[in-house]
Each structure stands twice: as structure tokens, then as C-alpha cells.
């Protein structure tokens, strides 16, 4: 026993070490995947008003105004060849990150992770000349801090949590390090930014900011950048007079953008900037003013999904940052920025690929005002979009809805649970602009499922639907109009799930009886669907009876359906599931192999679940390898109803042993069949029938106090074969060597379920039970000795 306990201690220590090492490895990998969010994923950015810039190398400092800050969201990593869209701005070179947590007082746990990763790219340019440094610090309350005082206020116990993270990011034009420290209920965030001093810019492959240029005002800077069309538009609209009076950041479209608009026809969504239309465009000033942000806003000052306020009232510019094959892309209202952070004496210029749309309406309003999206507008409320969100909506057109099967269309438009799930398939939790898709990419929707974005032959696709109009910006996200409804594989009903999983025999049985509608109309149910092997295993007369008796088949279907959508992990051991019929429950059992739980299985009415969590429209399907047959009653009822157990039942009734089969908890009976009695000699049968006490003890020897299905007996090599203590108090082997056996006697018929247990038929009595009570003599002296050895005798000997 001491050796056994020592082995358990060593095993526990090994498990703890493995779990600890796994946790560290997983934490390291998680930090590497989400570099910007180490220990600070739930942080809310404080809005900045001003910051100061101090020279580190050579060059002047300047005062700048930074716009308000919105929140950002979690990153999803790129992956080749099927890359995933990365929402962080951190293509780090080199990159340092880490963190630690300490919980106290009294009991302290500290986890630290400080590592340097050098990805072999540029040297640390920010250590060179003409690089300026600025530092920002802000304080905010820490979530979850508590304070407990005694009644006499003589002492105070503060529950505190120490949180430290350090994240650095090289954007190419700036190097930004954010350190967050939380202790005693307060979080302090320090941001250090290294960037080119005013009047300098970077040269590739050179340290610092070596290239000097003479800074000019915004208008002259536009001319130097050859943004002449924007310059002309500013002058023609009268905004040019305002620009040179104060500090502004200008998002200036390149000349090609204006040329493109000249070639297109005027429509409700676009105002063409041509000399002929300037005097007629009443909102021209609004369009131009919508490109202006007050103060100095550089790319290092903004985060992904940040909204910056323009000079046009109620119109913001949403900044998004993406990593595409180690290249960075920044967009403003989904328009790519082609040149960033060009400094002027009174501001910053960012060249953008197109004229920024003026955004004043939410995604819901955009859908409601578009005649192509009338069908979608009927169910938009079910998506429950937040006005302050950051969504991408793939919006199917009216014709896309018309192409659906009538039943599926009705489920979507009538707000069926499954229909809402299909709608949510079209919604992403972050803004994905069309410009990020070069070839093929993956991103997750709000259901945590991947959707595929691709671009080929001039077509932009999401899954198998074409995006016919992209980048319609709203205040809380972006809309892409598509020509098909995105139907996930699991959007069909239970019959579709049966066809998809290959359970065609059951499907044929249901359809032949005209009961298809019953399964198609289920909503929020779980079905245990028998596979083809299960249907084939039914006796031919039972199968024929089910085919000819619709009521009987319907009752059997009802017994396979339980209310509620229950996943595999939600099926707990000994759970009683009420069925659709409501008369008899289904029992769930969980079994694990010894040692180390290498094998595991869950059963319902002793039928193993062989394929779990098959989603259908609003329902859950689990595939089982046996047809679930309702029990005829308790164990005595099972024995009485089966002609194989007539001799056993006769002895039970003759000796009035019925109460033996009505224990307080469920049990398993390895019941000797008529063949087992026939295998006894006349003398042994006579002894068994005459001695009440011996008969009771022998029957107890064939019973265990657990509900053990045949599927719960695993193939384990010696010495890990299963042992059970029977109700007579001694140990018996329960093994599986391709066939389940009890006391070395093969089980002839498995899993005759009852309301208070399960019956397995065996065609021989357990030899040790017969020899133990003198019904037969053991074959050898050894067996004669061990046949009389009880479970209690073993422990008495060990003590």
C-alpha cells in the first residue's frame, strides 16, 4: 500500500509539472500571437488632449494636438498560404514583450514572461541621430480591486493585484513602447514614442532620421507631394484660407482619385469634384472639411479601430491597421493610406488612395436606406448592433434571399433561432476593409467561425458569395453588399444532418413513414441519431414492425429527442434526460479507462456516442451506435420479459429474492441465462435450488453496485485490467479482450437496460462463485484457496 501511495504521489507530481510547463508554453505562444495585448486586453484607452515631445538626437521639438481615442479589438494572426487577418499593428522588429502577475497578501503567485525576439530585420534605427522622444502617462482605476475594513476601523486589508506589461512596436516611422503597471487598485500606463524630429525623415537602411528637408505650411507641402488636385479643391472651396491659420492633420486624396471621380457619373452617394460642379455642390465644403482633423495626428498616435474627430460635426474618420504578409496597411474610412506622417510647419499630411467618404450614419441606417437590402432590413434588429461597435456586415441583397429554399428563407425572416444564427454568420466583430484582401485570407465572425475572403480575376469574394459593392462606411462599422446568403454547413435541419453524417438508413425509415415534417419542425432540441450500423443491428422483425407501424416509429423517434440544445461536454455522468414523449428518461453515463484516462466514452441508454456536436438549424445532433430502446421496467421486468432468463426468474420467485433486485441505487446484473443453468450438472443444479443462502450469495456475486455498460469496459493490458467488487464483497475481473467478460465468463448479450440498472446475459455461471459456496469443486488447490479469499481478507492481511 505504501508503494502504491508513493507511486500516486510521483504520478501527481509529474502531472503538476506537465500542466505547469504546458501553461508556460501556451502563455508564451499566446503572448507571441497577441503581442499588443499582453495582460491588457480589457484596457480602455484614456482620451488624450495634448502631449509633449522631447529631442533625443538632434532636432527641434514641437507641440502637437492629438485627437480622441476609441477602443481597439483583439488580433487575429496571418497565416500562409491561408493567412488570417491580423488586426494588430505589431509587425515587430525586434519585439520585446512580457508581463507578471502577483496576488497578495499572504498567498503570492507570480508569473513572469520577459523575452526579446529579434526577427532579423532592421537595426534599431531609433537609436540613431535626429530621433525625438516623447512620453505620455495616464492613470485609471483597476477593475476588480476591493477593500475590507474591520468594524472598529483599526485595520484595513487591501486585496491587491500587481499587473505589469511591456509591449513595443516598430511602425517603420516610429518606435512605440507601452508599459502598463497596475497595483493597489490603480493602473498607470506609460507610452514612450521615438520618431523623427521635425524636419527629418527616415532613409531606408540608415540609422536614425538622416534625411533633412525644409518644412513648409500645409498647402506648400501638398504641392511638394504633388497632391495638386486636393490643393485646387481646397482653394476652390474656400477651405484653404482656414487651413493655414491653425494646426491641422489633412487626409489628402492623390490626384488619381479625383481623375476617377471625373470619369464617373454623379449619383446619390458621390459628389464629383470638377470645376464645372463646384458652384453647384452645396456640400463641397463639408466634403473637404471632412478630411481635416485638428492638431498633429501621426500614425504612432492612433490605435487600430480608433475614431478621430474631423472638423465636420458628427463625422469621424476610423483608422484601421492590418499586417499583410509582414507589410503594414493603414486605412482611413477603409481608404488605404499611401504616404503617412509627412510633416508641415502647421500640421501633418497623410496621402490616401481615394476621397474619404463622409460618415454620419450607423450600419443599421445604411441598410434601412438601401432599396437593395429591404429583406435584410426586416431582420436587422435581431443582430443587436451596438452604436459604438466596430462591425463588418456582409449584407445579402433581396435577390439573394429569393434564391433560398422557402423553408430556410422563412426561418431567417421570421426570426427562428436558426435563422438568427445564419444572419450572425454575416457579421464580423471588427472592421475588415476590402483593401486587405490581396489573394486569400481568413477572419472570424461573431460566431467564432472562420470566413474566407479572396480576390481573383477582379472579383472580391467572401466564401462563395461575390461582394458586389464594398466599403460602405458607417459610424459603427462597414457594409459589403453580397449576392448570396452565407449558409453554413450546419444550417440545415436534422434530416440534412442525417444526410451529412451518413445516417441514411434512419433517414429512409423516417421518410418512408411520412414523418419527415416532425424532425424538420424541431427547434431547440437535441437528438441522438442512430447510425446505419445501429439500424442494421435491429432484429428483422423489429425493423419490419417499425416500418409498418407509424405510431410505434414515432414513439421511438420521440425517445431519441430531448428538449434543449445540449453539447457533448454538457452531458454529465448520471444525468437523466427527459425525452420528447415525456414518459421515460434517457440515462447518460461517462466512462474513462485506467490509468491516465487514455480512453473515454459517453453513453445514452448504454449506446456509445460515436460522433458528437453535429449542429443543425437550431438543434444539436449526436450520432449513436445503437438504437435507443425504452426500458420495459426495472431489472425484474427485464428478466421476466426475456425468454432467455426463465430459469433464473423461477429460482428468484421460488426463494422470494425479489427484494435483492431492488437496491437503493442503480446496479449491474450479469444474469445467467437458461444455457448457464443447462451447463450445470444435475447435482450442482440441485444444490443451487435447495440452499436459499447460497443462492442469494451466488446471485450477489453476479452483481456490482455501478451502472456498467459494455461500452464502459475498455481493452487494457495487464496489470491495468478492470476489477470490480461485487455485492458479495469479493473482487472479480471485468475485462475486454475484443469481447466483454465478467469473472472470465464472456458476456453473451449486452446492455438490456432497466429503470434501476442494466442486465448483461452470460451463458455460464462465474466459476469462482460456484466453487466459493461449494456448488462445484475448484479445478486446482490454488483455485480452491483463492476462491475462498474475500476482499476483506486481503485488507486484513495487509493490515
Amino acid at each position: 500500500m505504501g508503494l502504491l501511495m508513493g507511486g500516486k504521489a510521483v504520478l501527481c507530481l509529474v502531472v503538476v509539472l506537465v500542466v505547469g510547463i504546458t501553461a508556460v508554453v501556451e502563455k508564451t505562444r499566446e503572448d507571441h500571437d497577441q503581442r499588443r495585448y499582453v495582460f491588457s486586453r480589457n484596457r480602455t484607452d484614456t482620451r488624450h488632449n495634448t502631449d509633449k515631445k522631447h529631442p533625443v538626437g538632434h532636432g527641434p521639438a514641437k507641440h502637437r494636438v492629438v485627437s480622441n481615442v476609441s477602443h481597439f479589438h483583439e488580433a487575429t494572426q496571418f497565416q500562409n498560404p491561408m493567412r488570417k487577418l491580423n488586426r494588430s499593428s505589431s509587425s515587430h522588429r525586434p519585439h520585446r514583450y512580457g508581463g507578471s502577475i502577483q496576488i497578495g497578501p499572504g498567498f503570492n503567485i507570480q508569473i513572469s514572461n520577459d523575452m526579446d525576439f529579434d526577427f532579423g530585420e532592421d537595426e534599431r534605427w531609433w537609436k540613431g541621430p535626429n530621433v525625438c522622444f516623447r512620453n505620455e502617462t495616464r492613470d485609471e482605476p483597476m477593475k476588480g480591486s476591493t477593500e475590507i475594513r474591520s468594524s472598529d476601523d483599526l485595520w484595513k486589508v487591501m486585496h491587491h493585484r500587481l499587473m505589469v506589461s511591456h509591449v513595443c512596436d516598430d511602425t517603420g516611422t516610429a518606435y512605440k513602447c507601452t508599459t502598463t503597471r497596475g497595483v493597489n487598485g490603480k493602473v498607470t500606463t506609460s507610452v514612450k514614442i521615438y520618431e523623427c524630429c521635425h524636419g527629418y525623415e527616415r532613409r531606408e537602411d540608415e540609422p536614425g532620421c538622416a534625411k533633412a528637408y525644409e518644412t513648409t505650411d500645409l498647402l506648400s507641402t501638398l504641392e511638394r507631394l504633388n497632391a495638386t488636385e486636393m490643393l485646387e479643391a481646397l482653394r476652390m472651396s474656400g477651405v484653404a484660407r482656414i487651413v493655414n491659420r491653425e494646426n491641422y492633420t489633412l487626409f489628402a486624396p492623390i490626384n488619381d482619385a479625383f481623375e476617377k471621380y471625373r470619369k464617373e457619373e454623379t449619383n446619390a452617394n458621390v459628389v464629383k469634384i470638377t470645376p464645372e460642379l463646384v458652384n453647384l455642390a452645396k456640400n463641397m465644403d463639408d466634403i473637404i472639411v471632412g478630411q481635416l482633423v485638428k492638431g498633429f495626428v501621426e500614425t504612432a498616435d492612433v490605435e487600430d479601430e480608433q475614431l478621430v474627430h474631423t472638423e465636420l460635426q458628427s463625422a469621424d474618420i476610423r483608422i484601421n491597421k492590418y499586417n499583410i504578409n509582414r507589410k503594414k496597411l493603414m486605412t482611413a474610412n477603409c481608404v488605404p493610406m499611401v504616404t503617412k506622417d509627412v510633416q508641415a510647419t502647421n500640421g501633418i499630411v497623410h496621402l490616401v488612395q481615394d476621397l474619404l467618404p463622409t460618415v454620419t450614419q450607423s450600419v443599421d441606417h445604411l441598410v434601412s436606406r438601401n432599396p437593395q437590402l429591404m429583406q435584410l432590413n426586416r431582420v436587422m434588429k435581431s443582430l443587436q448592433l451596438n452604436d459604438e461597435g466596430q462591425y463588418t456586415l456582409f449584407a445579402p441583397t433581396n435577390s439573394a434571399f429569393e434564391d433560398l429554399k422557402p423553408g430556410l428563407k422563412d426561418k431567417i425572416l421570421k426570426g427562428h433561432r436558426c435563422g438568427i444564427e445564419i444572419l450572425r454568420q454575416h457579421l464580423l466583430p471588427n472592421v475588415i476593409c476590402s483593401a486587405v484582401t490581396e489573394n486569400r485570407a481568413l477572419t472570424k465572425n461573431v460566431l467564432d467561425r472562420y470566413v474566407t475572403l479572396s480576390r481573383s480575376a477582379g472579383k472580391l469574394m467572401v466564401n462563395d458569395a461575390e461582394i458586389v459593392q464594398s466599403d460602405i462606411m458607417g459610424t459603427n462599422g462597414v457594409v459589403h453588399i453580397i449576392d448570396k446568403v452565407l449558409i453554413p454547413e450546419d444550417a440545415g435541419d436534422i434530416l440534412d444532418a442525417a444526410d451529412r453524417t451518413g445516417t441514411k438508413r434512419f433517414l429512409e425509415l423516417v421518410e418512408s413513414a411520412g414523418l419527415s415534417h416532425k424532425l424538420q419542425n424541431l427547434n431547440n432540441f437535441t437528438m441522438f441519431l442512430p447510425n446505419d450500423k445501429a439500424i442494421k443491428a435491429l432484429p428483422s422483425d423489429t425493423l419490419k414492425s417499425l416500418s409498418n407501424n407509424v405510431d410505434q416509429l414515432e414513439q421511438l423517434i420521440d425517445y431519441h429527442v430531448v428538449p434543449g440544445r445540449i453539447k457533448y461536454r454538457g452531458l454529465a455522468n448520471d444525468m437523466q434526460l427527459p425525452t420528447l414523449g415525456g414518459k421515460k428518461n434517457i440515462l447518460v453515463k461517462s466512462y474513462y479507462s485506467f490509468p491516465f484516462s487514455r480512453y473515454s466514452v459517453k453513453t445514452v441508454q448504454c449506446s456509445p456516442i460515436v460522433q458528437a456536436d453535429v449542429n443543425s438549424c437550431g438543434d444539436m445532433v449526436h450520432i449513436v451506435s445503437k438504437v435507443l430502446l425504452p426500458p420495459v421496467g426495472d431489472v425484474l421486468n427485464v428478466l421476466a420479459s426475456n425468454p432467455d432468463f426463465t430459469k433464473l426468474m423461477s429460482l428468484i420467485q421460488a426463494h422470494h429474492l425479489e427484494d435483492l433486485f431492488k437496491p437503493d441505487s442503480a446496479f449491474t446484473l450479469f444474469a445467467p441465462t437458461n444455457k448457464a443453468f443447462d451447463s450445470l450438472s444435475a447435482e450442482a443444479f440441485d444444490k443451487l435450488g435447495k440452499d436459499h443462502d447460497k443462492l442469494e450469495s451466488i446471485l450477489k456475486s453476479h452483481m456490482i453496485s455501478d451502472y456498467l455498460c459494455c461500452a464502459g469496459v475498455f481493452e487494457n493490458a495487464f496489470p491495468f485490467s478492470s476489477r470490480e467488487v461485487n455485492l458479495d464483497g469479493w473482487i472479480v475481473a471485468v475485462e475486454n479482450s475484443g469481447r466483454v467478460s465478467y469473472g472470465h465468463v464472456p458476456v453473451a448479450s449486452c446492455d438490456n437496460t432497466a429503470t434501476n440498472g442494466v442486465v448483461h446475459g452470460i451463458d455460464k455461471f462465474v466459476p469462482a462463485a460456484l466453487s466459493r459456496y461449494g456448488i462445484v469443486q475448484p479445478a486446482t488447490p490454488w483455485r480452491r484457496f483463492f476462491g475462498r479469499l474475500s476482499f476483506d481478507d486481503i485488507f486484513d492481511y495487509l493490515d
Side-chain angles (χ1 to χ4, degrees):
M1 291 294 291
L3 183 61
L4 180 61
M5 294 300 293
K8 288 184 177 179
V10 172
L11 177 61
C12 290
L13 180 59
V14 171
V15 170
V16 169
L17 288 174
V18 169
V19 171
I21 292 170
T22 303
V24 171
V25 172
E26 288 298 323
K27 183 61 189 170
T28 301
R29 181 163 55 188
E30 178 183 322
D31 288 347
H32 183 59
D33 286 343
Q34 300 178 7
R35 300 179 182 97
R36 286 196 305 144
Y37 309 108
V38 180
F39 296 106
S40 59
R41 289 170 59 185
N42 295 324
R43 176 172 60 87
T44 302
D45 290 342
T46 303
R47 296 179 178 266
H48 301 288
N49 292 320
T50 63
D51 55 57
K52 296 182 180 180
K53 184 174 182 179
H54 309 283
V56 171
H58 306 285
K62 67 175 181 289
H63 178 77
R64 58 187 63 235
V65 179
V66 182
S67 61
N68 290 333
V69 177
S70 176
H71 60 281
F72 55 81
H73 52 78
E74 186 176 347
T76 307
Q77 292 294 314
F78 275 107
Q79 177 178 313
N80 285 312
M82 286 286 290
R83 73 181 193 283
K84 302 173 186 178
L85 295 177
N86 188 341
R87 301 315 319 281
S88 97
S89 63
S90 37
S91 176
H92 309 279
R93 357 172 252 205
H95 190 92
R96 179 175 178 82
Y97 61 91
S100 61
I101 295 178
Q102 186 176 20
I103 301 173
F107 183 67
N108 295 326
I109 300 175
Q110 185 160 345
I111 303 169
S112 64
N113 185 19
D114 283 309
M115 285 169 280
D116 252 327
F117 287 86
D118 190 345
F119 295 98
E121 300 201 22
D122 296 347
E123 295 295 328
R124 301 188 177 187
W125 62 267
W126 56 91
K127 299 294 185 181
N130 306 315
V131 176
C132 288
F133 163 75
R134 54 193 171 99
N135 186 27
E136 306 165 9
T137 302
R138 60 182 179 271
D139 295 328
E140 57 193 36
M142 179 190 291
K143 294 181 178 179
S145 62
T146 60
E147 181 176 298
I148 305 171
R149 295 173 181 259
S150 66
S151 58
D152 55 5
D153 203 29
L154 293 179
W155 54 271
K156 178 173 66 175
V157 177
M158 176 72 77
H159 168 74
H160 69 273
R161 178 177 58 189
L162 174 64
M163 178 186 70
V164 180
S165 70
H166 182 68
V167 185
C168 291
D169 178 26
D170 178 12
T171 67
T173 59
Y175 183 71
K176 180 179 180 180
C177 289
T178 303
T179 301
T180 303
R181 177 180 293 272
V183 65
N184 291 339
K186 184 177 74 172
V187 176
T188 300
T189 301
S190 175
V191 181
K192 297 179 179 180
I193 300 176
Y194 299 81
E195 58 192 344
C196 291
C197 294
H198 202 64
Y200 291 87
E201 62 185 13
R202 288 196 61 202
R203 279 181 180 161
E204 212 164 318
D205 301 325
E206 290 188 19
C209 302
K211 185 179 178 181
Y213 64 89
E214 183 180 352
T215 56
T216 56
D217 60 32
L218 279 172
L219 299 181
S220 300
T221 300
L222 286 176
E223 189 170 4
R224 180 170 68 85
L225 294 173
N226 197 32
T228 54
E229 294 282 358
M230 182 62 182
L231 181 60
E232 186 65 19
L234 285 169
R235 288 170 175 166
M236 295 172 67
S237 63
V239 179
R241 295 188 301 273
I242 303 173
V243 167
N244 274 341
R245 293 176 186 171
E246 296 188 53
N247 297 338
Y248 284 101
T249 295
L250 178 61
F251 293 84
I254 60 176
N255 289 342
D256 290 347
F258 291 95
E259 185 64 27
K260 182 184 72 171
Y261 282 112
R262 287 195 185 96
K263 294 178 180 178
E264 295 176 354
E265 292 182 355
T266 303
N267 57 50
N269 297 319
V270 178
V271 176
K272 310 303 174 195
I273 303 179
T274 61
E276 293 79 13
L277 293 177
V278 167
N279 293 329
L280 299 176
K282 295 181 181 179
N283 62 343
M284 177 57 66
D285 287 351
D286 289 346
I287 294 174
I288 299 302
V289 171
Q291 320 286 306
L292 293 175
V293 177
K294 199 164 188 178
F296 291 77
V297 181
E298 295 183 353
T299 55
D301 298 324
V302 292
E303 302 289 350
D304 184 34
E305 296 288 7
Q306 179 173 325
L307 295 176
V308 293
H309 299 313
T310 69
E311 288 297 275
L312 181 63
Q313 188 176 6
S314 302
D316 296 334
I317 297 174
R318 182 181 294 274
I319 303 298
N320 288 105
K321 299 183 178 183
Y322 307 92
N323 289 334
I324 306 175
N325 294 332
R326 297 201 176 196
K327 295 185 297 184
K328 296 197 172 188
L329 171 68
M330 288 185 64
T331 61
N333 282 351
C334 274
V335 177
M337 298 167 64
V338 295
T339 302
K340 304 181 289 290
D341 301 324
V342 180
Q343 298 179 6
T345 55
N346 63 327
I348 300 290
V349 176
H350 305 293
L351 292 184
V352 291
Q353 204 170 61
D354 212 336
L355 188 67
L356 301 190
T358 301
V359 180
T360 58
Q361 296 178 339
S362 67
V363 168
D364 292 274
H365 282 95
L366 291 174
V367 171
S368 66
R369 294 171 65 95
N370 194 322
Q372 295 183 80
L373 307 177
M374 292 176 62
Q375 297 277 39
L376 176 62
N377 185 49
R378 292 172 55 184
V379 289
M380 275 298 293
K381 287 184 179 179
S382 62
L383 291 178
Q384 298 179 336
L385 300 188
N386 189 329
D387 287 341
E388 297 181 358
Q390 49 205 38
Y391 305 104
T392 298
L393 176 65
F394 296 104
T397 61
N398 298 333
S399 59
F401 279 93
E402 295 303 321
D403 291 339
L404 293 173
K405 294 179 181 178
L408 193 57
K409 177 185 173 183
D410 287 344
K411 285 184 176 181
I412 296 175
L413 297 181
K414 291 180 180 179
H416 186 283
R417 184 178 184 276
C418 162
I420 295 174
E421 290 289 295
I422 293 174
L423 282 178
R424 290 172 64 80
Q425 175 82 2
H426 297 72
L427 188 66
L428 309 185
N430 41 56
V431 171
I432 301 295
C433 304
S434 64
V436 305
T437 306
E438 292 181 340
N439 296 306
R440 192 173 176 87
L442 297 175
T443 189
K444 283 187 175 182
N445 59 24
V446 294
L447 300 176
D448 203 34
R449 298 177 181 176
Y450 282 112
V451 295
T452 304
L453 298 170
S454 60
R455 189 187 296 272
S456 179
K459 289 185 178 181
L460 185 60
M461 309 288 291
V462 52
N463 292 353
D464 62 341
E466 183 180 355
I467 298 177
V468 295
Q469 188 176 351
S470 62
D471 300 330
I472 306 172
M473 286 301 300
T475 55
N476 58 341
V478 63
V479 178
H480 305 297
I481 298 178
I482 57 176
D483 65 350
K484 288 183 181 179
V485 178
L486 304 180
I487 305 295
E489 187 183 48
D490 54 13
D493 53 35
I494 287 180
L495 296 183
D496 294 321
D499 184 59
R500 193 168 72 247
T501 54
T503 53
K504 295 182 179 179
R505 286 178 177 263
F506 179 81
L507 187 60
E508 292 169 358
L509 194 64
V510 170
E511 288 176 344
S512 65
L515 293 174
S516 299
H517 66 281
K518 183 178 184 69
L519 297 182
Q520 288 174 326
N521 293 330
L522 290 177
N523 183 28
N524 196 27
F525 283 90
T526 297
M527 182 166 191
F528 299 97
L529 193 61
N531 60 16
D532 287 354
K533 180 181 177 182
I535 301 297
K536 190 176 180 180
L538 286 174
S540 57
D541 55 341
T542 301
L543 192 58
K544 185 177 180 180
S545 175
L546 289 172
S547 301
N548 296 331
N549 191 327
V550 176
D551 292 338
Q552 185 182 1
L553 177 60
E554 188 169 8
Q555 290 175 10
L556 184 66
I557 291 173
D558 289 346
Y559 190 66
H560 287 72
V561 179
V562 300
R565 199 168 181 267
I566 308 173
K567 289 189 173 183
Y568 184 79
R569 65 184 179 186
L571 296 171
N573 190 44
D574 290 328
M575 179 182 282
Q576 294 277 353
L577 301 176
T579 59
L580 192 61
K583 295 180 180 179
K584 294 182 179 179
N585 292 345
I586 292 174
L587 176 66
V588 178
K589 294 296 292 184
S590 298
Y591 301 103
Y592 302 90
S593 65
F594 177 84
F596 311 128
S597 298
R598 181 181 176 187
Y599 305 108
S600 65
V601 68
K602 290 185 181 182
T603 65
V604 283
Q605 289 302 114
C606 281
S607 177
I609 297 175
V610 294
Q611 186 177 351
D613 295 344
V614 179
N615 287 289
S616 69
C617 193
D619 303 305
M620 182 62 68
V621 176
H622 305 294
I623 309 300
V624 293
S625 60
K626 292 181 181 180
V627 175
L628 310 186
L629 298 175
V632 295
D634 62 15
V635 167
L636 288 177
N637 296 132
V638 171
L639 295 177
S641 64
N642 194 323
D644 288 338
F645 301 117
T646 54
K647 293 184 178 182
L648 175 61
M649 275 302 298
S650 297
L651 278 179
I652 292 170
Q653 291 170 349
H655 288 266
H656 304 290
L657 292 173
E658 289 87 354
D659 289 342
L660 180 63
F661 300 93
K662 297 178 181 180
D664 295 334
S665 59
F667 67 100
T668 300
L669 171 64
F670 292 88
T673 63
N674 295 340
K675 287 183 180 181
F677 283 92
D678 293 341
S679 67
L680 295 175
S681 65
E683 181 184 1
F685 185 81
D686 189 55
K687 286 181 181 180
L688 190 63
K690 288 182 177 179
D691 194 319
H692 174 92
D693 292 338
K694 287 185 178 181
L695 176 62
E696 182 176 357
S697 296
I698 289 172
L699 289 179
K700 283 184 177 181
S701 301
H702 288 75
M703 300 166 66
I704 60 175
S705 60
D706 191 15
Y707 192 109
L708 181 62
C709 302
C710 282
V713 183
F714 301 98
E715 293 188 49
N716 282 328
F718 181 83
F720 298 120
S721 53
S722 178
R723 299 287 188 271
E724 297 286 347
V725 178
N726 59 33
L727 294 190
D728 199 36
W730 49 282
I731 298 173
V732 62
V734 184
E735 300 169 304
N736 186 347
S737 55
R739 186 174 182 181
V740 177
S741 65
Y742 177 79
H744 307 296
V745 177
V747 172
S749 62
C750 275
D751 302 331
N752 299 283
T753 58
T755 55
N756 63 338
V758 60
V759 177
H760 307 300
I762 53 176
D763 289 341
K764 285 178 62 179
F765 281 87
V766 175
L770 295 179
S771 61
R772 183 182 181 84
Y773 293 102
I775 304 299
V776 296
Q777 289 297 315
T780 65
W782 283 106
R783 289 187 179 275
R784 204 172 293 130
F785 170 73
F786 284 107
R788 293 183 173 88
L789 192 64
S790 72
F791 185 68
D792 293 331
D793 293 335
I794 294 173
F795 278 93
D796 289 341
Y797 173 76
L798 291 174
D799 292 338

